[in-house]
Amino acid sequence: MACVNPVPKLYRSVIEDVIEGVRDLFAEEGVEEQVLKDLKQLWETKVLQSKATEDFFRNSIHSPVFTLQLPNSLHQTLQSSTASLVIPAGRPLPSFTTAELNTSNSSASFTFPGYPIHVPAGVTLQTASGHLYKVNVPIMVTQTSGRASILHPIQQVFQQLGQPSVIQSSVPQLNPCSLHATAEKPKRMETVLQQPTILHSGTVDRKHLENATSDILAPPGNEREIMSEALLSQPESSQYIRLPGVVFPPQVSQTHLHGEPVLGVAGSMTQNLNGGPLSTGRQGAQHQHMSDIQLRVLKNRMFGCGSVKQPRNTEEPSSLPVSEKDSNSQMDLSIQVTDDDINEIIQIDGTGDTSSNDEIGSTRDVEENEFLGIIDAGDLKVLEEEADSISNEDSTANSSDNEDPQIDVVEEDPLNSGDDVSEQDVPDLFDTDNVIVCQYDKIHRSKNKWKFYLKDGVMCFGGRDYVFAKAIGDAEW
Amino acid sequence: MAYQLYRNTTLGNSLQESLDELIQSQQITPQLALQVLLQFDKAINSALAQRVRNRVNFRFSLNTYRFCDNVWTFVLNDVEFREVTELIKVDKVKIVACDGKNTGSNTTE
């Protein structure tokens, strides 16, 4: 199918062109070449992590599941023979570059072509579903038809690993298996494999895993605990692979992560990696220090996914980022989930969040004054209910000041109520995530019929990017 | 010079963020960052003009329109973008369009 989305290639070519173009500029300024490389890294990382580039490596919605086998050569802490992690594979287009892989900030999103792929350390893998995997240790990713097979290695890992190898599993949105393994290397890269149904401790049954093929294994609440422990205990630098064994159903991960690529427990893990529950996707190559301890914990626990755990998960990651950042100290398995941590860590990605408007009252005041002018206190409350609750403070404060001039216009409230609605829409109307930036050849209007002749545009819908050379549209106003 | 229009795209925003990080870490000067952005403008404009060859049709209902400084800004509702390969439906879309009839004209800020 014409599935090859031109956007990724286009973006890559643009990035290349720009970097080449500024290379001379950098040289003139006396800036080191390394800075230019850093710029490129940062840029590519952000682009790769954005949802817009999900298509980079995902041509199809369904991505095959592949197993990620961690070589025994995994770090000293990781002594298990191999841990197979199932990673939903997207398209076959491993596009990571060695340069990227080797850098600390390396991040690569790739889709598995179905054949075993050896992923060198320092690579961040992003599955088709958008899950971000950071690989600190060289891993071999192979595609397996059955999910059950995935479990085996994991169990083995759990069993054998007494080390801090922790594999996180999170459930990808689309793929039941998203293996998120984090192995930490001196490079600070971690491999995070998300496996939705990884059961730790060999005792965990494959049954669970198998049953959970589409979702996550059933293991009871231990999962959460394990995860939290796993998350909390983060050893530093020593290489370890974290076997999260935590399997989260897609639901879990999604809810947990606010839509960031990393979902589920693993997501929380990755969050930790990124230092923020939600930022995993963005930061990609965040370094996390995972503690060794988790294996122990994991062994003792069954990993399972349950929606119930979700709340825990949210808590866990939040606490983890804090601890992780400090990582060099190993943390015990104690789960320290505090709402405060969560509140501090969980960041609402939406820039349109008006929760901070209290402090930035001026902006809100302006908007509110617009309707305050024609709204009395009673109507204001109604509007407030419709609007953010935050505005209440400002509006109430303003309403008292505006009461006098409002007296005359109070009567107009019912008349202008319709206008109020549209007025409210205006500020919000232009704050949308779906934006098209383009050039127009011709804009034609006939009465209320509009015709658009656009060209060279970049579209962004729900985070996903599209481009067009020409666009023709018909509209009615 | 090319339109700075495309800075508010995923690619452009990520570049700006990266540049800001480097500026904060004092690795580059703001002036240099500006030069990079200008270079980006040229690159993206030429890339879009030359490398993109697909067409999209769309139908929608127009909510608002604005034309100021030769820049059209529309807000559309219930838009349906139809490309050869796929159909995309969006509830609300904002279109910002600069004059493309004369590519020599720039809307530099």
Side-chain angles (χ1 to χ4, degrees):
Chain A
M1 61 184 187
C3 50
V4 178
N5 193 330
V7 172
K9 293 182 184 174
L10 177 71
Y11 282 7
R12 286 213 168 274
S13 67
V14 170
I15 291 176
E16 295 294 334
D17 288 346
V18 173
I19 296 296
E20 287 303 315
V22 300
R23 196 179 294 275
D24 293 338
L25 281 175
F26 272 55
E28 287 175 9
E29 291 281 327
V31 181
E32 294 179 357
E33 186 78 7
Q34 182 59 34
V35 177
L36 183 65
K37 288 182 185 171
D38 288 346
L39 171 64
K40 185 177 180 185
Q41 288 296 331
L42 288 169
W43 193 5
E44 288 182 341
T45 302
K46 291 185 199 297
V47 171
L48 287 173
Q49 290 172 356
S50 72
K51 286 191 256 179
T53 61
E54 276 184 356
D55 287 342
F56 268 43
F57 307 99
R58 176 176 61 177
N59 293 336
S60 67
I61 296 173
H62 177 72
S63 56
V65 174
F66 56 84
T67 54
L68 184 66
Q69 294 179 352
L70 302 173
N72 293 336
S73 60
L74 286 179
H75 317 287
Q76 36 202 333
T77 58
L78 180 60
Q79 296 176 355
S80 64
S81 54
T82 55
S84 64
L85 301 174
V86 178
I87 298 177
R91 289 301 171 254
L93 186 61
S95 65
F96 44 82
T97 60
T98 53
E100 290 177 347
L101 297 177
N102 292 330
T103 59
S104 62
N105 290 331
S106 65
S107 64
S109 56
F110 59 88
T111 59
F112 281 85
Y115 52 81
I117 291 179
H118 175 73
V119 180
V123 180
T124 299
L125 308 179
Q126 182 177 10
T127 60
S129 59
H131 294 284
L132 197 64
Y133 302 89
K134 295 179 185 176
V135 179
N136 281 331
V137 295
I139 57 177
M140 182 68 72
V141 179
T142 59
Q143 185 172 1
T144 59
S145 59
R147 297 191 181 130
S149 61
I150 300 166
L151 306 177
H152 298 292
I154 296 171
Q155 292 177 355
Q156 293 174 359
V157 174
F158 283 106
Q159 293 171 350
Q160 298 175 1
L161 293 176
Q163 315 284 334
S165 58
V166 178
I167 298 177
Q168 294 175 347
S169 63
S170 63
V171 178
Q173 298 176 0
L174 298 176
N175 299 314
C177 303
S178 55
L179 189 61
H180 200 67
T182 53
E184 185 166 347
K185 260 179 139 181
K187 285 186 177 182
R188 0 183 239 180
M189 291 296 293
E190 294 183 6
T191 57
V192 178
L193 298 178
Q194 298 177 350
Q195 186 169 4
T197 60
I198 297 174
L199 295 179
H200 70 294
S201 73
T203 57
V204 175
D205 306 321
R206 296 190 182 173
K207 294 178 185 179
H208 296 285
L209 297 175
E210 291 175 356
N211 292 333
T213 53
S214 62
D215 276 338
I216 298 153
L217 300 181
N222 290 334
E223 179 182 26
R224 264 187 277 171
E225 295 175 354
I226 296 170
M227 291 303 298
S228 59
E229 291 179 351
L231 296 174
L232 293 177
S233 61
Q234 296 176 353
E236 50 229 305
S237 63
S238 63
Q239 300 173 350
Y240 49 82
I241 296 176
R242 211 193 316 199
L243 300 177
V246 178
V247 181
F248 289 93
Q251 303 170 356
V252 176
S253 60
Q254 292 182 357
T255 57
H256 182 66
L257 292 181
H258 300 282
E260 284 293 334
V262 176
L263 302 177
V265 176
S268 63
M269 297 297 288
T270 55
Q271 292 177 355
N272 297 328
L273 295 175
N274 293 328
L278 302 177
S279 59
T280 54
R282 294 181 184 162
Q283 303 185 2
Q286 297 281 328
H287 319 288
Q288 297 188 356
H289 305 282
M290 307 297 278
S291 59
D292 306 336
I293 302 167
Q294 297 172 357
L295 282 184
R296 287 178 265 160
V297 179
L298 296 177
K299 283 185 180 178
N300 296 329
R301 300 183 186 228
M302 300 283 293
F303 290 93
C305 322
S307 60
V308 179
K309 297 173 188 173
Q310 297 178 2
R312 281 300 288 270
N313 293 333
T314 56
E315 294 177 355
E316 292 170 0
S318 61
S319 61
L320 293 176
V322 174
S323 62
E324 286 186 354
K325 287 180 178 176
D326 297 341
S327 65
N328 295 324
S329 59
Q330 294 186 356
M331 295 178 63
D332 292 339
L333 293 176
S334 63
I335 298 171
Q336 299 173 358
V337 177
T338 61
D339 291 338
D340 291 340
D341 289 341
I342 296 171
N343 292 337
E344 291 175 356
I345 295 171
I346 291 180
Q347 299 173 0
I348 299 175
D349 287 340
T351 56
D353 187 13
T354 57
S355 61
S356 63
N357 284 347
D358 285 343
E359 296 177 356
I360 311 175
S362 60
T363 307
R364 294 292 297 179
D365 289 347
V366 172
E367 294 177 356
E368 292 173 356
N369 288 335
E370 288 177 357
F371 5 91
L372 288 178
I374 52 179
I375 302 171
D376 63 3
D379 291 344
L380 186 60
K381 289 180 185 176
V382 174
L383 290 176
E384 289 175 354
E385 290 175 355
E386 295 174 354
D388 294 336
S389 61
I390 294 168
S391 63
N392 290 338
E393 295 180 4
D394 294 334
S395 60
T396 52
N398 294 330
S399 63
S400 61
D401 294 336
N402 296 334
E403 277 180 358
D404 290 342
Q406 289 175 1
I407 291 175
D408 294 337
V409 296
V410 166
E411 295 178 353
E412 295 179 6
D413 293 342
L415 295 178
N416 288 348
S417 59
D419 293 343
D420 292 346
V421 174
S422 63
E423 286 181 10
Q424 288 176 5
D425 287 344
V426 169
D428 295 336
L429 203 55
F430 285 88
D431 294 336
T432 173
D433 289 334
N434 305 327
V435 184
I436 300 178
V437 187
C438 60
Q439 300 177 28
Y440 63 87
D441 276 332
K442 185 174 179 181
I443 305 288
H444 176 76
R445 179 192 67 82
S446 180
K447 295 211 171 149
N448 71 333
K449 300 282 188 282
W450 290 73
K451 283 198 193 309
F452 298 74
Y453 298 91
L454 308 174
K455 70 176 187 183
D456 296 341
V458 178
M459 308 191 284
C460 175
F461 300 139
R464 290 187 57 177
D465 277 11
Y466 307 86
V467 292
F468 63 82
K470 281 196 184 303
I472 299 176
D474 289 300
E476 195 169 316
W477 181 72
Chain B
M1 292 188 54
Y3 285 126
Q4 298 184 359
L5 173 73
Y6 298 99
R7 293 190 187 180
N8 188 23
T9 60
T10 308
L11 203 59
N13 283 329
S14 51
L15 175 61
Q16 293 192 60
E17 288 173 8
S18 307
L19 288 171
D20 286 341
E21 288 180 16
L22 290 181
I23 290 174
Q24 283 180 5
S25 65
Q26 310 251 329
Q27 288 178 296
I28 61 174
T29 64
Q31 184 60 26
L32 183 58
L34 185 61
Q35 295 291 328
V36 173
L37 284 173
L38 291 175
Q39 182 66 30
F40 167 76
D41 293 333
K42 292 183 203 169
I44 189 76
N45 272 278
S46 68
L48 283 178
Q50 297 168 7
R51 300 198 186 131
V52 182
R53 283 285 171 261
N54 56 328
R55 289 180 59 139
V56 176
N57 285 324
F58 54 103
R59 291 201 58 85
F60 53 91
S61 62
L62 186 64
N63 185 311
T64 60
Y65 57 89
R66 175 184 297 166
F67 183 60
C68 181
D69 292 336
N70 274 339
V71 177
W72 278 101
T73 305
F74 304 99
V75 177
L76 319 177
N77 289 126
D78 300 327
V79 195
E80 213 178 71
F81 289 90
R82 185 168 291 110
E83 207 172 347
V84 177
T85 56
E86 54 191 313
L87 179 65
I88 307 156
K89 288 192 181 180
V90 189
D91 287 340
K92 191 166 81 169
V93 166
K94 179 167 84 168
I95 297 184
V96 179
C98 290
D99 193 349
K101 290 176 250 186
N102 180 11
T103 55
S105 62
N106 300 325
T107 56
T108 55
E109 298 176 0

